[in-house]
Amino acid sequence: MRRSGTVPWFTVVVVALALSAGAGLPAAAETVKNPDTMVKATYGEPETLDPAYAYDTASGEVIYQIYENLIDFDHGDLSKFVPMLATQVPSVENGLVSPDGLVYRFPIRQGVRFHNGNPLTPEDVEYTFERAMLQDRSGGPIWMFLEPLLGYSTIEELAKDLAGVDSFDQVPPEVLREVYRRVDAAVEVEGDTVVFRLARPYPPFLSILAHGGSWSSIIDKEWAIAQGDWDGSEDWVRWHDPKAENDPLYDKANGTGPYRLVAWEKGNQIILQRNEDYWREPAPIKTVVIRNVQEWATRQLMLQSGDADIVTVDPPYLEQVAAMPGVRVLRRQPWLANTAAFFTFNIAVEGNDFIGSGKLDGQGIPPDFFSDIDVRKAFNYSFDWQVYIDDVNMGEATQARGPIPASLPFFNPEQPVYQLDLRKAEEHFRRAWGGRLWETGFRMTIAYNAGNDARRIAAEILEQNIESLNPKFQIDIQSLQWPTYLQAYRESRLPLFIIGWLADFPDPHNFVVPFMHSTGTYAAAQRLPAELTREIDALIDRAVSTTDPEVRRDAYYRLQQIAYEQAIDIFLVDRTQPVVMRDWVQGWYPNAIRPGEDFYRLRKASS
Amino acid sequence: MIRLVARRLMMLPLVLVGTSLIIFALSQLLSPYQRVATYVRSPQELKSFTLDELVRKYQLDAPLTTQYANWLRELAGGHLGWSEVAKEPVWDAIVRHFPATLELTLYASIPMAVGGVWLGTLAAVRHNSWVDHASRVFAIVGWSFPTFVFGLLFLMVFYGWLGWFPPGRLSVWATQAMLSPDFRQLTGLVTIDAVINGRLDILVDALRHMVGPVVTLSYLYWAQLQRITRSSMLDTLRQDYVRTARAKGLDERSVIRRHARRNALIPVSTVIALMVLGLLGGVVITETIFAYPGIGRLLATAALQLDRATVLGVTLFYAVILVLVILAMDISYALIDPRVRIE
């Protein structure tokens, strides 16, 4: 080949040019570029712009700018609410919540207009929630209304229950009309007020309504019907569980928010324009662009040149941007997500390769391996949080103290946690299974979903530490495709599965249910023993059926204590997130549950 | 000539059926659970549904023949299906992404072909001179560079440092201008639409954004073209008829242009057509680096996320293009070489 000699020479010149590029830049950082436009460069494409359909943060970020809720969190404080399209936050004290916690009244603000000029009415609010419940797309977020308002987690379940049939297709028309009547009765208009009638007291209800950028965003009834959506009549099945393409609102938007949708160039960018007729002060920034830029180096150059004001940076690249002039990096911003390694107490045996021989003979593990608390504690003492946080999460995490993340109310900051302690791990392993485990050893497989390096390394940390204790201990690590992984843990075939939870609403209830309740997404797959879940379920139910904060605190503290004492999981980390922006971006504030930025609060000014 | 065209066009349906069958069969190698991945993104989404229910809902467990028949029925109704990655019908996604790639192809193929042929001719005519060596070095460097290295270096220097050629397809102001009601979007090719609307500022902006991907793409192809043109020219220059032409006393320019190069271009035109085809198929890496919303990026994303409808739709579309480009190639042979016409 003729390559030798020529390539290095050319490369050296270009690299030298490129390196000097960085050095020559700082002068440009002084003046604000595109002062009335805010550009965010990120990756991830919205699923839909229909608030009742969306269940991902990329969609939520766009919806958040366009639509508004009845109430909002007070500037990122997840324990305080402020009115938005409602003029007051209901409470028992102001008489808008009934003393039994079953009726919520929201007086609706006058003089607010949607982007198309239609006035906001209480009927729009009623329509929004009824439409959402009847649409209830499979896998969607609307269980959050159905549970408190109707006592079911899907509308199909309610219909099947009323009709006494097994399949939704068999539900007769009169029962479908009855379903509509129940939905209709749950949300009603009384004068200027919208009334929600709950099936049971549900303390997180206000949190669910305040979560911006999603399910609770108020849409315009007249406009939605004009787009071909549900017409408000009792004939609703046609609009139930649509595929994205049949959802009339999937790529249109008409809210009351500070920005209106100009264009969604799918795969490329979203352009938003300031709503000049906004009911509050119009936003300082005229145009907002959310660009989909997959390549990190390109995003980095856009940030460096000032063409992007805010960019998404994965933790490994934080060091690079931290050194960039004119760039501000905010580390460890709160983010309502946590990760844990879950023990399966009663592993499914059928065709299961993850447990070796399926017996305690040194070549496998028995199905009830983790029902021995010494095994669970030994695993906990074998995990190295420091390495996991510093080297895998690049510092963007803190050790979890249980199922409830630190930024939520009723989190117990005093809750003790396990630490890496191989001496204690060995003690517990020696005691486990009446001492037999230490003699015979074991072999098992920890799986992770392919491509998720954080989970792979968590498994490797356990592997290394546990195998170092006893040569007869063997842990294998295997990668699975994401859906196969989900399937395997749900069928209780994985002895140990590592997975995270991203909050639906900022309330401990949203974490203790998946992590601990006998029907919870993860706990059910763990097959926690009945004698344990009996107490847990009772505590969770007590905590969610009262609005008394004292009672709730006691219950959640006790739940966190049980999680620790019983070592039901290895609680790994509460995740945080880094935020990277040009230093001319002003007004950013943290909010652990907001999907993306609050562009309404942002301005550009040289610092 | 007309018969040639007609015969090729008649082959089109066969090619499409074949392609769709192959892709469809290949996608069956993935289990229904792998294929349902496009629909499940978080554990939350499984709160009220099991994977089995979703597999049944999207008919992923139906026999291959049923699934293929369903898809053909949709296709007959003019639907290519729903693209999970593009969040719109597959056909709409193609219509929106293809003009961007087509435009890139148009602008990249001209410097690519002209530059490559010129370099190759130059090298052959000045055989073994310093010009020959220099042009070969220049081309080989391009050949040896991985696309992402060259593209990123280009971006660093000409965007990061000099601020000349930004990534993307248009600046925000230009996009907004194009989206305004008084701008008529006719072709989807922004440069042409800008000219039609008499908006020179948008034209300049679009061209500025295109320099990066165009230079990256053409430079990488120059080496191949240079080499093929050079050897083809060297061959031709040794032919008797060239010697005859020279003996007749024709000047060197006419000998090279009218006699030698015309014949030497036959293999070259094949290579050019194949390169254009490659460009049209979407140049994934270049489009990704320059954040250019073309069809290559669409197809790559769809393949990564196992979005079958999109992969199938784009592949079929690509098959149509393939047949058409090969047809154009045959016609160009006939134009370059009269002997082909006789066959």
Side-chain angles (χ1 to χ4, degrees):
Chain A
M1 288 295 283
R2 300 183 64 96
R3 297 168 59 157
S4 58
T6 58
V7 177
W9 166 80
F10 189 76
T11 316
V12 165
V13 172
V14 181
V15 170
L17 280 175
L19 288 178
S20 61
L25 248 167
E30 303 304 323
T31 48
V32 177
K33 211 164 172 178
N34 310 317
D36 59 356
T37 302
M38 191 73 77
V39 178
K40 176 173 179 176
T42 183
Y43 50 83
E45 182 74 2
E47 280 295 296
T48 174
L49 300 184
D50 177 355
Y53 196 105
Y55 206 5
D56 63 291
T57 50
S59 306
E61 178 161 32
V62 185
I63 294 170
Y64 190 88
Q65 323 302 328
I66 300 173
Y67 287 96
E68 287 178 312
N69 298 7
L70 293 173
I71 54 172
D72 192 8
F73 296 110
D74 186 6
H75 221 72
D77 181 343
L78 302 181
S79 59
K80 291 202 195 89
F81 302 107
V82 289
M84 212 170 180
L85 293 182
T87 53
Q88 287 183 71
V89 177
S91 65
V92 178
E93 293 73 50
N94 65 17
L96 294 173
V97 176
S98 63
D100 60 3
L102 288 176
V103 182
Y104 284 70
R105 289 170 195 279
F106 291 88
I108 304 301
R109 193 176 293 280
Q110 309 267 315
V112 177
R113 288 187 177 277
F114 288 98
H115 297 155
N116 65 353
N118 286 352
L120 169 79
T121 64
E123 282 75 22
D124 292 318
V125 178
E126 182 194 27
Y127 176 84
T128 296
F129 292 97
E130 292 181 356
R131 169 187 176 270
M133 286 190 276
L134 295 171
Q135 184 198 74
D136 188 30
R137 67 115 169 158
S138 42
I142 301 306
W143 63 271
M144 281 179 260
F145 298 147
L146 294 167
E147 250 176 35
L149 290 169
L150 299 175
Y152 285 85
S153 48
T154 71
I155 200 81
E156 295 193 5
E157 222 176 280
L158 167 65
K160 286 189 289 190
D161 217 28
L162 287 176
V165 293
D166 292 332
S167 157
F168 183 65
D169 304 330
Q170 298 164 355
V171 176
E174 65 273 15
V175 174
L176 293 175
R177 280 194 290 275
E178 172 59 22
V179 170
Y180 165 76
R181 275 191 288 277
R182 293 209 179 188
V183 167
D184 190 35
V187 190
E188 279 179 327
V189 176
E190 285 177 9
D192 292 339
T193 303
V194 173
V195 184
F196 291 85
R197 293 181 199 285
L198 275 58
R200 56 169 170 148
Y202 203 78
F205 191 57
L206 287 179
S207 300
I208 293 172
L209 294 187
H211 186 345
S214 274
W215 41 87
S216 298
S217 308
I218 305 303
I219 62 176
D220 175 1
K221 177 179 182 180
E222 192 189 311
W223 169 80
I225 296 173
Q227 306 306 314
D229 214 310
W230 176 58
D231 55 8
S233 75
E234 54 182 32
D235 166 30
W236 56 275
V237 178
R238 197 143 62 87
W239 289 277
H240 170 63
D241 192 16
K243 287 186 185 173
E245 62 263 47
N246 306 327
D247 178 358
L249 304 189
Y250 92 88
D251 66 350
K252 304 182 184 73
N254 173 39
T256 56
Y259 286 94
R260 62 176 78 225
L261 177 71
V262 176
W264 177 12
E265 295 183 342
K266 291 163 188 134
N268 187 23
Q269 60 187 348
I270 282 155
I271 303 180
L272 304 169
Q273 192 78 37
R274 176 167 62 202
N275 175 9
E276 303 290 352
D277 301 323
Y278 190 44
W279 59 276
R280 292 189 281 186
E281 196 64 24
I285 296 288
K286 195 169 158 221
T287 309
V288 165
V289 182
I290 302 171
R291 287 192 62 180
N292 182 349
V293 182
Q294 296 289 334
E295 173 62 39
W296 157 244
T298 313
R299 288 204 301 281
Q300 186 188 14
L301 286 170
M302 290 174 72
L303 176 72
Q304 182 185 308
S305 68
D307 283 337
D309 303 293
I310 303 176
V311 294
T312 303
V313 183
D314 290 333
Y317 302 116
L318 281 169
E319 290 304 315
Q320 288 178 33
V321 284
M324 230 184 243
V327 168
R328 179 162 58 229
V329 179
L330 302 175
R331 299 289 308 259
R332 294 180 198 87
Q333 298 303 310
W335 177 235
L336 266 180
N338 59 7
T339 304
F342 297 82
F343 303 116
T344 306
F345 283 59
N346 183 7
I347 305 160
V349 188
E350 194 92 3
N352 191 342
D353 309 329
F354 301 110
I355 54 171
S357 64
K359 292 195 271 293
L360 195 60
D361 57 2
Q363 292 309 309
I365 53 170
D368 55 351
F369 184 62
F370 286 111
S371 65
D372 186 325
I373 191 169
D374 281 311
V375 178
R376 304 199 298 270
K377 285 193 170 169
F379 267 70
N380 262 290
Y381 282 120
S382 303
F383 192 77
D384 189 340
W385 278 268
Q386 213 51 50
V387 165
Y388 187 64
I389 290 167
D390 294 345
D391 298 354
V392 182
N393 292 282
M394 304 295 161
E396 285 299 333
T398 54
Q399 179 171 0
R401 289 190 172 270
I404 301 174
S407 45
L408 284 183
F410 311 124
F411 162 78
N412 180 6
E414 308 295 320
Q415 179 63 50
V417 290
Y418 292 95
Q419 299 285 359
L420 174 70
D421 188 335
L422 291 179
R423 204 177 41 79
K424 278 191 180 157
E426 183 176 332
E427 271 173 36
H428 284 289
F429 271 129
R430 281 184 185 279
R431 229 179 292 156
W433 287 87
R436 277 199 297 141
L437 184 65
W438 190 262
E439 292 306 315
T440 53
F442 71 90
R443 178 173 203 143
M444 63 176 271
T445 301
I446 302 181
Y448 69 97
N449 55 307
N452 193 319
D453 287 338
R455 288 181 196 159
R456 177 177 54 80
I457 298 173
E460 284 170 359
I461 292 172
L462 282 175
E463 176 199 23
Q464 212 166 39
N465 289 339
I466 291 173
E467 287 182 350
S468 75
L469 294 174
N470 184 336
K472 291 180 189 156
F473 291 175
Q474 280 187 67
I475 291 179
D476 303 318
I477 295 172
Q478 188 188 336
S479 80
L480 298 174
Q481 288 298 314
W482 172 237
T484 317
Y485 186 69
L486 286 182
Q487 181 79 354
Y489 99 72
R490 287 172 68 88
E491 288 173 350
S492 307
R493 286 197 288 123
L494 300 181
L496 179 78
F497 56 94
I498 305 165
I499 204 161
W501 184 261
L502 174 65
D504 299 310
F505 50 86
D507 190 282
H509 185 64
N510 189 229
F511 284 88
V512 292
V513 170
F515 280 78
M516 297 178 80
H517 197 274
S518 58
T519 62
T521 307
Y522 301 141
Q526 279 182 283
R527 297 185 177 167
L528 294 181
E531 63 270 20
L532 192 58
T533 51
R534 214 170 296 126
E535 188 192 356
I536 291 174
D537 288 5
L539 281 165
I540 292 177
D541 291 345
R542 190 192 314 157
V544 79
S545 31
T546 174
T547 39
D548 182 346
E550 290 299 316
V551 179
R552 296 196 78 198
R553 178 182 304 110
D554 287 348
Y556 289 126
Y557 273 39
R558 174 72 189 129
L559 284 164
Q560 292 168 83
Q561 195 188 354
I562 294 174
Y564 169 75
E565 284 172 1
Q566 293 294 325
I568 59 173
D569 308 322
I570 307 175
F571 293 100
L572 298 175
V573 290
D574 288 352
R575 277 166 45 202
T576 57
Q577 59 175 348
V579 182
V580 177
M581 63 187 97
R582 293 296 306 205
D583 52 13
W584 58 53
V585 176
Q586 310 287 324
W588 194 89
Y589 65 96
N591 176 337
I593 196 145
R594 182 182 58 213
E597 315 309 328
D598 179 0
F599 287 103
Y600 177 63
R601 305 277 180 182
L602 299 184
R603 314 169 263 113
K604 280 166 110 166
S606 46
S607 50
Chain B
M1 188 73 147
I2 293 165
R3 275 182 51 201
L4 177 85
V5 173
R7 214 167 45 225
R8 281 304 160 87
L9 288 179
M10 265 157 44
M11 265 174 53
L12 194 55
L14 280 178
V15 173
L16 294 184
V17 170
T19 314
S20 67
L21 260 178
I22 291 169
I23 305 280
F24 219 92
L26 281 178
S27 74
Q28 295 295 315
L29 293 176
L30 300 169
S31 75
Y33 294 119
Q34 286 172 313
R35 280 179 284 138
V36 86
T38 353
Y39 306 100
V40 191
R41 286 179 181 78
S42 70
Q44 265 101 330
E45 295 199 314
L46 288 175
K47 184 176 163 64
S48 48
F49 271 83
T50 66
L51 276 179
D52 290 309
E53 281 168 328
L54 283 177
V55 164
R56 272 198 300 280
K57 178 180 170 187
Y58 295 107
Q59 294 200 324
L60 298 174
D61 54 348
L64 172 63
T65 44
T66 317
Q67 292 191 50
Y68 187 64
N70 284 346
W71 180 74
L72 278 186
R73 205 172 311 124
E74 286 278 293
L75 194 62
H79 308 293
L80 280 174
W82 176 259
S83 167
E84 284 292 329
V85 295
K87 322 292 178 204
E88 60 189 333
V90 172
W91 177 247
D92 292 2
I94 292 173
V95 166
R96 230 165 30 76
H97 286 83
F98 184 66
T101 300
L102 179 65
E103 195 165 26
L104 200 57
T105 305
L106 286 178
Y107 285 93
S109 39
I110 294 164
M112 177 190 89
V114 172
V117 169
W118 177 72
L119 275 178
T121 314
L122 196 69
V125 173
R126 309 270 180 86
H127 185 45
N128 277 338
S129 73
W130 69 268
V131 180
D132 185 15
H133 296 311
S135 94
R136 268 172 19 203
V137 167
F138 177 70
I140 286 288
V141 170
W143 177 240
S144 327
F145 252 114
T147 318
F148 69 92
V149 175
F150 185 82
L152 283 177
L153 282 176
F154 185 94
L155 257 192
M156 282 167 81
V157 176
F158 290 97
Y159 173 59
W161 184 26
L162 298 168
W164 291 351
F165 305 123
R169 198 175 181 205
L170 279 177
S171 298
V172 175
W173 64 264
T175 313
Q176 282 176 301
M178 287 195 70
L179 289 167
S180 74
D182 40 304
F183 189 97
R184 288 191 304 148
Q185 294 204 41
L186 294 170
T187 60
L189 308 178
V190 288
T191 50
I192 294 174
D193 283 349
V195 172
I196 294 172
N197 284 270
R199 290 293 300 264
L200 282 182
D201 51 345
I202 296 181
L203 174 69
V204 170
D205 187 62
L207 290 174
R208 220 160 70 94
H209 282 83
M210 224 176 285
V211 171
V214 161
V215 168
T216 307
L217 289 173
S218 13
Y219 187 35
L220 297 173
Y221 282 112
W222 275 340
Q224 295 180 56
L225 270 182
Q226 191 264 5
R227 270 178 43 198
I228 288 158
T229 315
R230 179 174 172 275
S231 57
S232 177
M233 268 301 272
L234 283 177
D235 265 1
T236 319
L237 285 172
R238 291 190 198 106
Q239 300 286 325
D240 288 344
Y241 65 85
V242 174
R243 205 179 311 143
T244 313
R246 285 208 178 105
K248 277 198 302 190
L250 276 177
D251 65 305
E252 190 62 16
R253 277 171 80 94
S254 310
V255 171
I256 289 167
R257 289 199 174 169
R258 289 196 29 216
H259 295 264
R261 193 161 71 183
R262 202 176 162 107
N263 284 298
L265 278 184
I266 292 171
V268 177
S269 68
T270 313
V271 176
I272 292 178
L274 290 174
M275 286 174 179
V276 171
L277 209 55
L279 286 172
L280 271 181
V283 185
V284 179
I285 295 169
T286 311
E287 284 180 358
T288 305
I289 290 171
F290 291 97
Y292 199 85
I295 205 159
R297 223 175 65 170
L298 175 71
L299 184 59
T301 321
L304 280 175
Q305 296 189 19
L306 309 179
D307 181 350
R308 202 164 45 134
T310 311
V311 171
L312 212 49
V314 174
T315 315
L316 279 187
F317 179 75
Y318 191 43
V320 175
I321 300 282
L322 186 92
V323 172
L324 294 180
V325 171
I326 291 174
L327 179 68
M329 205 157 88
D330 287 345
I331 294 172
S332 77
Y333 285 157
L335 292 179
I336 295 172
D337 185 354
R339 282 172 302 181
V340 177
R341 262 174 267 174
I342 297 160
E343 283 166 23

